[in-house]
Amino acid sequence: MSYGSGENTHGSRRTARILLARHGQTEWSLAGKHTGRTDIPLLEEGRRGAKLLGERLHREPWGGLPGVEVRTSPLVRAAETCELAGFGERAEPWDALMEFDYGGYEGMAPPEIQAVRPGWFIWRDGVPDGETLAEISARADEVVAWARSAGRDVLVFAHGHILRVIAARWLGEDVSFAARIRLDPTSLSVLGWAYGEPAVERWNDTGHLER
């Protein structure tokens, strides 16, 4: 499935955007461990960041994002970030937003993986006994299709790797493009349009954490 074109089924240009919020800091994200389906709670730092993100989204120019549809990964680190940011009552849990299933590499940091598999690169080599690159790409395509059909802006709370894949697919790029766009905890990003084509409006914005 390709998402390189800005045309909708009626021939007009889409204008709906997708706002991406990565969850707050956890013990494993702080240590650089691959955290897929393990349900790790937020650290106090992550809880503080989620509240600051919420304060930002409830100030102008965002104004609380009235009318925006909100979805969250059901994993606790994302769902708690959503709740602390003030969007919990509006959010619908969605399995498509869950993090990459890292299989045999769950809980391992990159140096540990390199020690047993020198030269390993997740965006080329994937993971053993987990989700394939094609499978996470297909999940991202599902999110992109939903966002573009919503007819309005949408907000999602999720995880670093799945959000990077969503961005890649929004732009019509292969999943491997996700390697080039890092994403920090409790960051805000916006995917939209420029000259009728999919574009990045804002990426990895953590200005709210500097307060």
Side-chain angles (χ1 to χ4, degrees):
M1 187 179 297
S2 174
Y3 289 110
S5 173
E7 295 288 348
N8 68 14
T9 55
H10 301 291
S12 61
R13 297 293 183 177
R14 295 191 189 275
T15 57
R17 302 176 303 170
I18 180 169
L19 285 70
L20 312 175
R22 187 186 170 191
H23 66 75
Q25 192 78 272
T26 70
E27 182 180 354
W28 279 21
S29 64
L30 187 62
K33 295 182 178 181
H34 285 86
T35 317
R37 305 303 169 84
T38 305
D39 228 0
I40 302 292
L42 298 177
L43 293 172
E44 185 55 39
E45 175 188 349
R47 292 174 59 83
R48 174 181 175 274
K51 292 175 183 177
L52 290 173
L53 173 61
E55 290 174 9
R56 181 179 187 178
L57 290 175
H58 284 83
R59 295 193 304 269
E60 295 303 326
W62 310 102
L65 301 171
V68 169
E69 188 172 352
V70 184
R71 293 194 180 182
T72 182
S73 161
L75 295 171
V76 67
R77 57 193 184 273
E80 187 178 11
T81 299
C82 177
E83 181 71 31
L84 291 169
F87 294 94
E89 292 186 0
R90 293 167 52 185
E92 177 184 342
W94 193 16
D95 287 352
L97 293 170
M98 293 177 74
E99 182 59 298
F100 205 144
D101 181 351
Y102 298 115
Y105 291 159
E106 179 76 4
M108 297 178 69
E112 296 176 295
I113 300 172
Q114 291 290 338
V116 297
R117 190 174 176 184
W120 172 78
F121 181 54
I122 190 170
W123 302 111
R124 179 193 62 221
D125 304 320
V127 297
D129 304 318
E131 192 169 21
T132 68
L133 294 173
E135 287 169 339
I136 193 172
S137 183
R139 280 203 291 124
D141 284 351
E142 184 180 356
V143 175
V144 169
W146 161 72
R148 292 187 178 176
S149 67
R152 59 184 182 276
D153 289 352
V154 299
L155 169 64
V156 299
F157 289 83
H159 314 269
H161 278 175
I162 182 61
L163 290 177
R164 289 161 67 177
V165 176
I166 289 169
R169 298 302 298 141
W170 179 273
L171 298 172
E173 298 288 345
D174 181 76
V175 64
S176 61
F177 183 81
R180 304 178 184 180
I181 44 175
R182 64 170 294 165
L183 203 56
D184 294 324
T186 334
S187 58
L188 174 66
S189 302
V190 182
L191 303 175
W193 304 88
Y195 304 102
E197 294 298 323
V200 175
E201 291 189 10
R202 182 187 303 264
W203 190 257
N204 200 30
D205 186 343
T206 57
H208 46 279
L209 302 181
E210 298 170 5
R211 294 184 61 200

